[in-house]
Amino acid sequence: MPLHEQIIPYLETAGLYHLARLNSQWFWIDEPLLSAFVERWRPETHTFHMPFGECTITLQDVAYQLGLPIDGEAVSGCLTDFHERFRVPPANASEEIVRIYARAYIMMLLSSQLFADKNANQVHLRWLPYLASMEDLGRYSWGSAALAWLYRCLCHGTNRNVVNLAGPLQLLQSWIFWRFPSLRPSGFDVFEFLLASSAPDVVAVVHPDILIEEHRRLWMAVTSLIYFAAIEWHQVDIEWYRSSAEFSISLSLL
């Protein structure tokens, strides 16, 4: 679904505009790469077991990779031919029609980008109550909900009978490219996708609460992450910077 200028104000209110911009220019998912990391995932600790130690995706990564708010109310119920039905709003659409298409686009972002499951051609009805009042969408912690769902999908993916991965896989791959520079494909422009680049055009469109200094305490918070029935424990990656530096040194010696 293309991103139309008419619905941008509603995406800004919901705190999803940066995600929408990424959706319009996202890189292809590298399934073998993601599968290799899933094989190193340990459900007991919510960490990847690497040669240099353990590391994981945290709320800080969600904020930096996707520009989503991580503080707010918890996100805690299938429509077919959805994407084609709301692909392009009619010419000279009224404000109410624009709001309808904005709701459709947000439902697409939530169901296929953040909280994707294996029903790729359907949109779950659980999102309808959230879209009833679009002005309230910005108060939810979309970042913590997305991380909870990613943790749950990674744990499910370790089952040998699971063939296809689900969840916010763009978050996982973007995290891999950011944390493991040697695994980035040739010509990959890391600053095009990451909030951590602090590029002016990126900072200008992210949710205003993301860059507030006081929210950094949440990155190290030992707390539960809630996405409806999926409740996962936030794993704080306190050893990352030391271990990743050691890993970079070991790679340079190979």
Side-chain angles (χ1 to χ4, degrees):
M1 297 176 65
L3 176 58
H4 297 279
E5 293 186 1
Q6 294 169 292
I7 67 176
I8 288 178
Y10 299 100
L11 294 172
E12 292 175 331
T13 300
L16 300 172
Y17 182 34
H18 182 59
L19 178 65
R21 294 175 78 225
L22 297 179
N23 176 62
S24 66
Q25 55 181 348
W26 209 281
F27 46 84
W28 291 102
I29 291 297
D30 187 339
E31 294 186 3
L33 175 64
L34 299 187
S35 297
F37 272 77
V38 171
E39 291 179 357
R40 293 184 174 274
W41 180 260
R42 295 297 179 268
E44 302 83 2
T45 58
H46 285 164
T47 57
F48 296 101
H49 283 220
M50 309 300 289
F52 57 82
E54 300 180 36
C55 60
T56 192
I57 305 173
T58 67
L59 289 174
Q60 177 185 8
D61 296 306
V62 178
Y64 271 19
Q65 308 294 334
L66 301 184
L68 293 173
I70 59 174
D71 190 15
E73 296 186 19
V75 179
S76 77
C78 295
L79 306 175
T80 59
D81 300 326
F82 183 83
H83 297 77
E84 291 300 323
R85 170 65 179 82
F86 295 100
R87 185 172 181 81
V88 180
N92 302 319
S94 64
E95 181 178 352
E96 184 56 34
I97 295 297
V98 171
R99 288 175 64 89
I100 292 174
Y101 277 79
R103 287 189 175 98
Y105 192 93
I106 291 174
M107 287 186 70
M108 181 276 296
L109 284 179
L110 296 177
S111 62
S112 65
Q113 296 295 314
L114 290 185
F115 308 109
D117 55 23
K118 295 182 180 180
N119 296 318
N121 62 338
Q122 298 178 333
V123 175
H124 204 287
L125 291 174
R126 65 162 59 98
W127 299 116
L128 290 179
Y130 289 86
L131 293 167
S133 178
M134 296 183 63
E135 292 74 16
D136 294 334
L137 284 173
R139 75 173 193 244
Y140 294 103
S141 178
W142 298 115
S144 61
L147 187 57
W149 184 234
L150 179 59
Y151 280 178
R152 178 61 60 90
C153 291
L154 287 172
C155 293
H156 185 61
T158 60
N159 190 317
R160 67 179 62 184
N161 297 321
V162 174
V163 178
N164 299 320
L165 297 176
L169 299 181
Q170 292 92 340
L171 168 61
L172 173 58
Q173 183 162 306
S174 184
W175 175 84
I176 294 172
F177 288 168
W178 177 253
R179 298 296 195 180
F180 300 86
S182 62
L183 299 179
R184 295 174 193 164
S186 176
F188 177 74
D189 183 3
V190 64
F191 297 108
E192 185 176 354
F193 302 101
L194 302 179
L195 173 63
S197 67
S198 297
D201 63 325
V202 174
V203 175
V205 299
V206 299
H207 193 281
D209 289 346
I210 293 174
L211 302 179
I212 295 179
E213 183 69 24
E214 65 185 46
H215 283 181
R216 294 192 176 189
R217 72 184 188 277
L218 297 175
W219 300 346
M220 303 297 292
V222 179
T223 184
S224 57
L225 305 170
I226 301 175
Y227 170 61
F228 291 99
I231 303 177
E232 302 289 342
W233 201 251
H234 181 223
Q235 178 64 40
V236 180
D237 195 359
I238 59 176
E239 295 295 329
W240 166 258
Y241 295 102
R242 179 184 62 81
S243 57
S244 62
E246 295 175 353
F247 184 57
S248 300
I249 295 174
S250 65
L251 284 179
S252 64
L253 297 177
L254 295 178

